[in-house]
Amino acid sequence: MTAAIGGVGGATWGTMSVVAREPRTPTAAAVQRRMELGLGAVRGVTLVWAAVVVAIDTSSGVLARPAVAGVTLAVLAAWSAWWTRSAAVGASWLSDVGAVVDVALAAAVVAVDQYVYPEDAQPLGSAWPLVAVLAAGVTAGSTYGLIGGLVVGASGLVAAALD
């Protein structure tokens, strides 16, 4: 499938392949699954890092609302485990529902970060949301990854303005 880019009077300047909607070869599907599994591993690493930082910040008194941070990390851990398991079995819902949930959770984490931390630190809202946006791009296509990144960035701006 291709989409026309620009043009006047029926003529086009070029075409752009819509990769996410074209049938994939077995090799492309295998590469995509490997990328998804790699992102699943990175999700785990970012969650462990965030949990360590939250624990340190809780013990030092820097964290304003440790219970909210803990619940947020638990939700992200549950979603990450389910997402990674689904990627391992090749679940088709990752490219639509999964991408939307990823971006929504990433935006929520960035917004919650403003509420949990009184300072400009971002242990919750830094690495995991980036992985979620990358996952949306890998599973649903680069356009969705770009839109997801814009949504997550906007949520941070809105949360900072409301704070």
Side-chain angles (χ1 to χ4, degrees):
M1 174 189 280
T2 58
I5 302 174
V8 177
T12 61
W13 298 330
T15 58
M16 178 177 78
S17 176
V18 182
V19 176
R21 302 296 180 224
E22 289 182 359
R24 293 180 299 161
T25 64
T27 302
V31 168
Q32 182 173 355
R33 180 168 302 161
R34 291 284 184 194
M35 290 174 68
E36 291 167 354
L37 292 173
L39 287 168
V42 174
R43 286 175 191 266
V45 170
T46 61
L47 283 170
V48 169
W49 175 253
V52 168
V53 171
V54 164
I56 291 169
D57 288 348
T58 298
S59 67
S60 66
V62 173
L63 191 62
R65 294 169 181 89
V68 174
V71 168
T72 301
L73 288 175
V75 168
L76 294 181
W79 169 252
S80 295
W82 189 31
W83 188 96
T84 304
R85 175 67 180 131
S86 297
V89 298
S92 63
W93 63 265
L94 289 177
S95 66
D96 45 36
V97 174
V100 170
V101 172
D102 257 343
V103 170
L105 282 174
V109 169
V110 169
V112 164
D113 198 53
Q114 296 288 327
Y115 177 72
V116 170
Y117 278 91
E119 303 298 322
D120 289 334
Q122 286 195 326
L124 292 176
S126 56
W128 194 94
L130 175 61
V131 176
V133 169
L134 289 172
V138 167
T139 60
S142 58
T143 301
Y144 297 96
L146 173 64
I147 293 168
L150 293 172
V151 167
V152 171
S155 73
L157 292 174
V158 169
L162 295 174
D163 190 28

